[in-house]
Amino acid sequence: MKILYTAEALATGAGRNGHARTSDGKLDVDLAMPVEMGGNGEGTNPEQLFAAGYAACFHSALQMIARQEKADISDSAVGARVGIGPTDAGGFGLAVTLEVTLPKLSAEQARELTEKAHQVCPYSNATRGNIEVTLEVSED
């Protein structure tokens, strides 16, 4: 694979209760465990960062496919829910639900474009076979 761009970030402090910053300083956040996991929730967490990244990346993949297919995806949106919980093997795992809204397309067209985007999105390719990713498609 030819690398086109490399992002760099450093986490310091106490992991999930620490700090994260990108090398260019554009992302500079305090981290905190969510209340649901026993933390104070007074910072962002890795699951929120992953959800934001996956939603943005998937939306870009969807736009690329739409351009190729000359489909109108104006007013589209992609939301991501990232869940974390214990696995049967004793560690922790993630599960993702992507909520894709394509109000200008029929249900069939929206589902087809979403499936195609799922095949080209770098986050989808990285997670495929590793975590459960559920695609939910709506027209509004």
Side-chain angles (χ1 to χ4, degrees), residues 52-92:
Y54 203 160
C57 189
F58 196 88
H59 203 191
S60 287
L62 194 60
Q63 291 168 346
M64 181 188 80
I65 296 298
R67 277 191 305 276
Q68 290 173 355
E69 307 229 345
K70 296 178 178 34
D72 181 3
I73 64 164
S74 55
D75 301 324
S76 63
V78 176
R81 293 192 315 262
V82 176
I84 184 173
T87 66
D88 293 339
F92 284 83

Side-chain angles (χ1 to χ4, degrees), residues 24-111:
D24 63 7
K26 291 182 180 176
L27 179 69
D28 193 342
V29 295
D30 288 325
L31 302 170
M33 291 267 281
V35 173
E36 297 84 350
M37 293 177 66
N40 64 19
E42 293 181 9
T44 192
N45 60 66
E47 291 71 38
Q48 289 174 327
L49 296 170
F50 187 72
Y54 203 160
C57 189
F58 196 88
H59 203 191
S60 287
L62 194 60
Q63 291 168 346
M64 181 188 80
I65 296 298
R67 277 191 305 276
Q68 290 173 355
E69 307 229 345
K70 296 178 178 34
D72 181 3
I73 64 164
S74 55
D75 301 324
S76 63
V78 176
R81 293 192 315 262
V82 176
I84 184 173
T87 66
D88 293 339
F92 284 83
L94 299 174
V96 174
T97 299
L98 295 175
E99 301 165 324
V100 180
T101 303
L102 297 163
K104 307 280 185 186
L105 302 180
S106 70
E108 183 179 324
Q109 289 174 306
R111 187 78 181 152

Side-chain angles (χ1 to χ4, degrees), residues 102 105-115 137-139:
L102 297 163
L105 302 180
S106 70
E108 183 179 324
Q109 289 174 306
R111 187 78 181 152
E112 184 179 310
L113 252 57
T114 298
E115 290 290 346
V137 182
S138 69
E139 299 161 53

